[in-house]
Amino acid sequence: MYADVIIDISAEALDRTYQYRIPKELERDVGIGSPVRVPFGRGNRLRSGFVIQITQSPAFDKERIKDILSVEKKHVPVEGQLLQIAGFLHERYGSTMNEALKTVLPVRKKVKSVEEHWLNFAMESGPINDIIHEYERKHYKAKVRLLKGMLAEGGTLTKRMADIKYGVKKPVIDSLAREGIIAVTRERKYRNPVEECVTQQAAALPLNEEQQRIVEDFRNEYASGVRRAYLLYGITGSGKTEVYIQFLRTVLEAGKQAIVLIPEIALTFQTVSRFRAAFGERVSVMHSRLSEGERYDQYERAKHGEVDIMIGPRSALFAPFDNLGILIMDEEHEGSYISEGVPKYHSDEVARFRAGLADASVVFGSATPSVKSYLAARKGYYKEYRLTRRAGDARLPQVHIADLREEMRAKNRSVFSRILQEKLSDRLEKGEQSMLFINRRGYAGFVSCRNCGNVLQCPHCDVSMTAHKNHTGDVDTLVCHYCGHAVKMPERCPSCGSPYIAAFGLGTQKVEEMLRRLFPGAGILRMDADTTAGKNGHEHILSEFRSGNADILVGTQMIVKGHDFPNVTLVAALAADMSMFENDYRSSERTFQLLMQASGRAGRGEKCGEVVIQTYKPEHYVIKSVAAQDAGMFYENELAFRKMMNYPPCGSMLSVSVSAEKLAEGETCIGGLAAQLRREFGERVEIIGPAAGAVRRIKDRFRLVLYVKVRTAFEMDQVRKSIDDWKEKKNDSNYLQYEVDEPVR
């Protein structure tokens, strides 16, 4: 027998299988997905690898084929379906197969399990009393304490409790076991990362007519064998979670398992609490903040069928379920569902692929669907369910737009507009809570005029220019990261001539300090990447705020995603323009989603809510859409822009990135690829760049990007094939990968 092995080296030059002989003594242990140790290369250096295929036919001369040395017992094997998903990641996103295999393994190494030792009587209780009397006569005090304690506890006791409650150590227990009086049994105890979550069963909340109609339609389709993609499009506070719970009941009653994806670790506690209340202890969680032991135990529970529902960010997508019935992706529009690492996969595409493998349904849910999902539903690729009313008929918030140009003219130099200061004072007097967010912490990368609100944009790409600092820390250049167009930082606004032009940046910490000066008696909490660095950082801050121990919560966008605080009646976006003019064609979409999500945090209880949006561009269709709470206005404007510029989802775009130790080598590499694509495809595709990456150098490696716009799926496949062929021929040390962004077809 022979095994095709992917070597655990993430080098493109080695991105292929190597064949090894399976020795007779290992044939029972080696299977598809097995982690193995093999001799590799001329020096026969020991390397790890994964078996991805087994065959009886040698690929070349038998005498030259080396033997597998061992199966790595401490490593986790790749399950069959996950191996297929790894193949999809490798093929679709241009990564090496080894990187794809690492991605689909949320847990790579086995961790020593925790065992609970149970003490039980090895004989009837009658003789036990006689033995106790005999031990009392002999003054065996520890043995007497333990046996009496076991009788009091109903005949069974854990070894740990014997020590803590009765002061009995291991030698005494071993002695009683040798005498045949007690028996010690071992039981694996899983580390529980969700102990603090609600565990008692909760009665299902009554559904309104809209929710009931959706649930019944889904149940009928699922019972009749229909498996498809759905878009649950419901305004904030419309009860999407209750619909999810009913979907899950339908699938679990059919004996299937479920994965629920959430975009932020910050949402884990709240989400798990809701689902544990509905489904009990067969709900678990998987995310990066768990310890190695916790993560391994949840992986094992899922693999052995001891969990029905797995909740977590995108890594939970690879939970080792073999009977998956539904995959729910909540807040599907969130950018965190796109991997930052290699392979740079899109979770919605992987979710659809996995659902297809498992014959499962997939549900995308959002109050502000991505433009891609909105168009897919409109074209009939997704079945759309709409929720148009807030649960309990709560009213939508009133939205106020604060024009920061007017604030400037009124001599208000504060970060807080006059209407926001007024509303904050009002909430503090009433004992109600407020949430203030800015779209990112620290420095923001665009340049605008404080007098007229003009944002400096690239004349070729219709995206904002990014400020670059020189060695002294001053902004001296503006660069477009799409095409490389660069200009010197102007001293005056090109639009109105004002000298009040600068890079726009504001940090959460600075906002917190300003608030304390403005409202010295207010209780203020800050929530950003700095304050939530600890394992339970999110839960601690959110619990403090939910319990009323603070009046104002300041934070980045993580505070406005999915949280439910009944006493919050005011939400403010301090700088809407921060994300609206980022150097990305999706910046308007992200800003709209963020502002709509933020407005949904206000007035979720019985009290009416208000939202204040501070902006330099109140006339922009994003701001006008949010002010009118009119999503249709936004989508129509945005789709018109995407169609005109041939951006996804109206066109397809492939972004190629090169990482190189030396800038000249990287430029030669990506320049050569661009030249080949232009020669091969001519005007059939639009090639933009190459240009410097959004961050030119990271960890001493230079990054360059190239964008390729295509109009058809066939052309996209041809471009990808051309890039793969070029990579294989070049075989150099520069790292090249690509990310595909195209419409749902």
Side-chain angles (χ1 to χ4, degrees), residues 269-518:
F269 183 85
Q270 175 177 297
T271 307
V272 174
S273 295
R274 293 283 298 272
F275 285 101
R276 291 264 288 191
F279 299 105
E281 295 186 1
R282 291 183 70 85
V283 175
S284 194
V285 63
M286 188 178 286
H287 59 73
S288 60
R289 291 282 178 92
L290 302 182
S291 68
E292 280 191 13
E294 287 173 336
R295 200 156 53 243
Y296 177 68
D297 278 3
Q298 304 324 302
Y299 183 89
E300 286 287 287
R301 290 182 70 200
K303 193 167 74 171
H304 296 136
E306 297 179 29
V307 172
D308 295 320
I309 301 172
M310 184 64 77
I311 299 172
R314 61 175 186 269
S315 61
L317 187 55
F318 308 111
F321 283 150
D322 59 8
N323 198 19
L324 187 66
I326 190 171
L327 208 158
I328 295 173
M329 191 168 159
D330 191 29
E331 309 292 357
E332 63 84 26
H333 62 276
E334 284 290 346
S336 58
Y337 282 128
I338 299 177
S339 165
E340 298 97 349
V342 181
K344 198 165 184 179
Y345 65 89
H346 294 217
S347 296
D348 63 321
E349 294 179 345
V350 181
R352 290 199 310 274
F353 179 80
R354 180 161 195 187
L357 288 178
D359 191 30
S361 296
V362 58
V363 178
F364 300 109
S366 178
T368 53
S370 65
V371 174
K372 179 180 177 181
S373 293
Y374 179 87
L375 190 59
R378 200 164 79 173
K379 289 186 173 183
Y381 297 123
Y382 296 171
K383 182 168 184 177
E384 184 179 331
Y385 290 141
R386 290 292 291 264
L387 291 170
T388 60
R389 301 204 319 262
R390 277 191 156 186
D393 291 322
R395 286 174 292 171
L396 289 172
Q398 181 181 1
V399 181
H400 306 278
I401 305 300
D403 187 340
L404 294 179
R405 297 170 299 187
E406 292 298 325
E407 297 297 315
M408 180 77 170
R409 292 180 190 119
K411 310 297 184 187
N412 178 17
R413 300 288 195 272
S414 169
V415 169
F416 313 110
S417 61
R418 290 164 294 173
I419 189 171
L420 177 56
Q421 293 182 41
E422 175 191 319
K423 298 295 181 185
L424 283 169
S425 297
D426 178 62
R427 270 27 179 211
L428 290 170
E429 288 176 14
K430 292 179 178 177
E432 296 171 1
Q433 293 174 298
S434 305
M435 295 169 68
L436 273 61
F437 84 97
I438 58 176
N439 299 4
R440 59 171 70 177
R441 63 192 179 106
Y443 185 78
F446 76 93
V447 173
S448 72
C449 172
R450 289 205 69 180
N451 185 59
C452 72
N454 179 48
V455 173
L456 276 67
Q457 293 187 296
C458 173
H460 306 294
C461 303
D462 208 18
V463 293
S464 64
M465 304 282 279
T466 301
H468 280 245
K469 293 182 178 180
N470 59 23
H471 65 281
T472 62
D474 298 322
V475 173
D476 66 347
T477 310
L478 303 180
V479 181
C480 171
H481 290 149
Y482 271 70
C483 69
H485 178 72
V487 296
K488 187 179 178 181
M489 173 72 178
E491 295 181 1
R492 292 181 174 272
C493 173
S495 179
C496 72
S498 167
Y500 297 109
I501 181 170
F504 199 78
L506 184 66
T508 47
Q509 193 169 10
K510 188 175 180 181
V511 172
E512 180 189 13
E513 291 171 359
M514 291 175 172
L515 274 174
R516 292 192 187 282
R517 287 200 296 268
L518 194 61

Side-chain angles (χ1 to χ4, degrees), residues 122 145 178 246 262 282 305:
R145 281 200 311 276
R178 284 194 299 271
Q246 296 306 318
I262 53 177
R282 291 183 70 85

Side-chain angles (χ1 to χ4, degrees), residues 397-400 417-428 432-437 515 519 545 551-553 559-560 565-574 598-604 607-613:
Q398 181 181 1
V399 181
H400 306 278
S417 61
R418 290 164 294 173
I419 189 171
L420 177 56
Q421 293 182 41
E422 175 191 319
K423 298 295 181 185
L424 283 169
S425 297
D426 178 62
R427 270 27 179 211
L428 290 170
E432 296 171 1
Q433 293 174 298
S434 305
M435 295 169 68
L436 273 61
F437 84 97
L515 274 174
F519 303 108
F545 191 61
D551 303 299
I552 304 170
L553 177 62
I559 71 172
V560 298
F565 302 113
N567 198 38
V568 169
T569 58
L570 177 64
V571 173
L574 297 184
S599 67
R601 300 311 111 209
R604 293 175 74 93
K607 303 167 185 172
C608 188
E610 291 184 275
V611 178
V612 176
I613 296 174

